Amino acid sequence: MDNFTFYAPTYFAFGKDTETQAGQLVKRFGGKKVLIHYGGGSVVRSGLLDRVKKSLSSEGIAFEELGGVKPNPRSGLVYKGIELCRRENIDFILAVGGGSVIDSSKAIAAGTVYDGDFWDFYEGKQVTEALPVGTILTIAAAGSEGSPDSVITKEDGMIKRGASGEAYRPKFSILNPALTQTLPAYQTACGITDIIAHLYERYLTNTTEVEVTDRMIEALILSMIHEGPRVIADPDNYEARANIMWAGMMAHNNSCGVGRSQDWTSHNVEHELSALYDCAHGAGLAAAMPAVFTYTMNHDVNRFAQIAVRVWNCSMDFYHPENTAKAGIEVLRNFLTSLGMPENFAELGANEADIEKLAHTACFGNGGDGKLHGFTTLEQKDVEAIYRLMV
């Protein structure tokens, strides 16, 4: 296990009706004038936005609103939010929505107190200062409600990149599983896929002797295997929703990733797909993960065989562990498709003719050095081969 530091001070309010605590929590963490940031009409139609505003007003907290966040959140709305926060002297941002809303809120929070272009943080500059952010989660998926990370799509060139820094960790996150019960099955499945991807990205490590975090990751994936079919069959199953929601946070606040190198190849490959085709991030991951794993499997076949046995209940072929590793990848693929996830380019609306462009942008775009670095190092030709496995 490698040396590490870990500090994750987000305050979590979990359970039914916890969104009514929004005003109290904003006040607790010093907010006096709030930007409520949200996406489309669902938070309005459901009455959630009204409940949040009532809670803020009851504590005497002034607020402004900025809706319109889309999946794969765009830089244009971030710039608009920064301008609004500066003009109205906003001192706290409250994200009401899923990972896209939270990521957009984080970008606005950093950009508001920064003299330069917020996109500098998405080109590698560390985030060290930002307005405080609180969240009210409506989709269990990205884990941004507990993480120091954010992903934004730059509209100039449609480049999707991430930024990170402890200043991005939310001060508080309100997690009411009941708020996810109205999600369509497809969005629920996308969220489960994203959670599993966050766990695999940490499981695929070159660090040895990490049994504790291996077992934590395995347990969370097993929970998704159990809860996924339950919640697809019964969207109103509160207990299944609750387990998925907490797993989503645990999968990405890095408690499962400390002391070990991590991968993130599947995410880097997928980001080009959702940037260019605007597909759902989880859907892109469902197609990308099996392709990435198949291509990189021989880098450490025993690690893939281990998760195949421990999580996917595959039989261990001690003479040919590659057979076990392949079986685990195939069972993963079948599980995701059983939830309604796509498995190839055609189902994502992607175009085989774009493969060279996708691979080039993944490796060189936004100042890249021509390679993807993770579980193993990949050049453009390798990334092209991965995309071709998805056709």
Side-chain angles (χ1 to χ4, degrees):
M1 186 183 294
D2 300 331
N3 291 359
F4 66 88
T5 59
F6 183 60
Y7 180 62
T10 302
Y11 179 96
F12 292 99
F14 189 100
K16 296 178 180 179
D17 302 321
T18 44
E19 64 271 18
T20 61
Q21 301 175 29
Q24 298 170 29
L25 290 171
V26 168
K27 179 176 283 188
R28 173 175 175 170
F29 289 96
K32 295 181 176 63
K33 190 168 186 181
V34 173
L35 174 67
I36 306 174
H37 199 32
Y38 58 96
S42 61
V43 299
V44 177
R45 292 190 300 271
S46 68
L48 175 59
L49 186 60
D50 284 339
R51 296 196 297 277
V52 171
K53 290 193 288 188
K54 180 179 179 181
S55 180
L56 293 173
S57 296
S58 69
E59 297 294 335
I61 298 170
F63 55 84
E64 299 288 336
E65 300 178 38
L66 180 62
V69 180
K70 299 178 180 179
N72 307 308
R74 308 297 204 272
S75 57
L77 193 61
V78 172
Y79 288 119
K80 185 176 180 180
I82 292 169
E83 180 184 359
L84 176 59
C85 285
R86 290 173 176 171
R87 184 177 68 246
E88 298 295 334
N89 296 313
I90 298 294
D91 62 12
F92 197 101
I93 300 179
L94 182 59
V96 184
S100 295
V101 172
I102 300 171
D103 285 2
S104 183
S105 296
K106 290 177 178 180
I108 293 170
T112 299
V113 299
Y114 178 57
D115 289 337
D117 187 339
F118 91 90
W119 191 254
D120 292 347
F121 300 117
Y122 295 80
E123 290 184 327
K125 185 179 179 66
Q126 189 74 14
V127 180
T128 58
E129 185 181 2
L131 293 179
V133 174
T135 86
I136 300 175
L137 188 65
T138 61
I139 302 174
S144 193
E145 66 277 6
S147 82
D149 305 315
S150 165
V151 178
I152 300 292
T153 299
K154 185 178 183 180
E155 286 155 305
D156 182 9
M158 296 306 289
I159 296 170
K160 187 175 181 179
R161 293 294 182 269
S164 186
E166 290 305 317
Y168 266 175
R169 284 196 190 271
K171 296 299 182 184
F172 70 82
S173 285
I174 291 172
L175 277 59
N176 177 0
L179 296 178
T180 70
Q181 288 177 322
T182 57
L183 288 173
Y186 187 80
Q187 282 186 276
T188 298
C190 283
I192 292 167
T193 304
D194 199 9
I195 292 167
I196 291 173
H198 289 158
L199 294 164
Y200 260 96
E201 299 286 26
R202 292 171 168 88
Y203 201 85
L204 299 179
T205 182
N206 294 309
T207 310
T208 59
E209 301 293 339
V210 284
E211 184 71 4
V212 169
T213 42
D214 272 359
R215 292 296 190 177
M216 291 169 65
I217 292 167
E218 292 160 6
L220 287 166
I221 297 176
L222 284 166
S223 297
M224 295 304 92
I225 294 169
H226 175 70
E227 301 294 4
R230 290 177 73 203
V231 80
I232 296 299
D234 179 11
D236 292 326
N237 187 325
Y238 177 86
E239 298 303 334
R241 293 279 186 187
N243 283 319
I244 293 168
M245 182 169 269
W246 192 241
M249 195 290 298
M250 289 293 294
H252 203 42
N253 79 335
N254 211 36
S255 57
C256 293
V258 293
R260 58 196 293 152
S261 66
Q262 300 179 21
D263 186 21
W264 300 102
T265 302
S266 294
H267 271 71
N268 288 326
V269 167
E270 192 290 319
H271 281 168
E272 303 309 320
L273 296 171
S274 51
L276 186 60
Y277 305 113
D278 205 25
C279 60
H281 176 54
L285 285 169
M289 278 193 291
V292 170
F293 299 165
T294 298
Y295 193 83
T296 61
M297 182 188 73
N298 289 330
H299 174 70
D300 187 350
V301 71
N302 288 320
R303 179 138 286 269
F304 281 100
Q306 177 176 286
I307 197 170
V309 171
R310 291 182 177 183
V311 170
W312 299 108
N313 202 30
C314 298
S315 298
M316 184 64 199
D317 186 335
F318 292 98
Y319 294 103
H320 300 285
E322 66 275 11
N323 291 337
T324 304
K326 289 177 182 176
I329 296 168
E330 189 59 24
V331 178
L332 165 65
R333 185 200 307 273
N334 292 339
F335 174 74
L336 296 177
T337 56
S338 76
L339 298 181
M341 287 289 91
E343 58 180 323
N344 56 45
F345 258 35
E347 292 178 77
L348 290 172
N351 190 337
E352 185 178 358
D354 292 329
I355 283 178
E356 185 175 344
K357 175 185 177 181
L358 290 164
H360 184 271
T361 306
C363 294
F364 291 96
N366 211 36
D369 67 357
K371 298 178 181 179
L372 295 185
H373 303 276
F375 188 48
T376 185
T377 299
L378 302 174
E379 298 180 353
Q380 180 176 335
K381 62 180 177 60
D382 300 305
V383 180
E384 287 181 21
I386 288 169
Y387 283 126
R388 295 195 188 284
L389 288 174
M390 298 166 60
V391 173

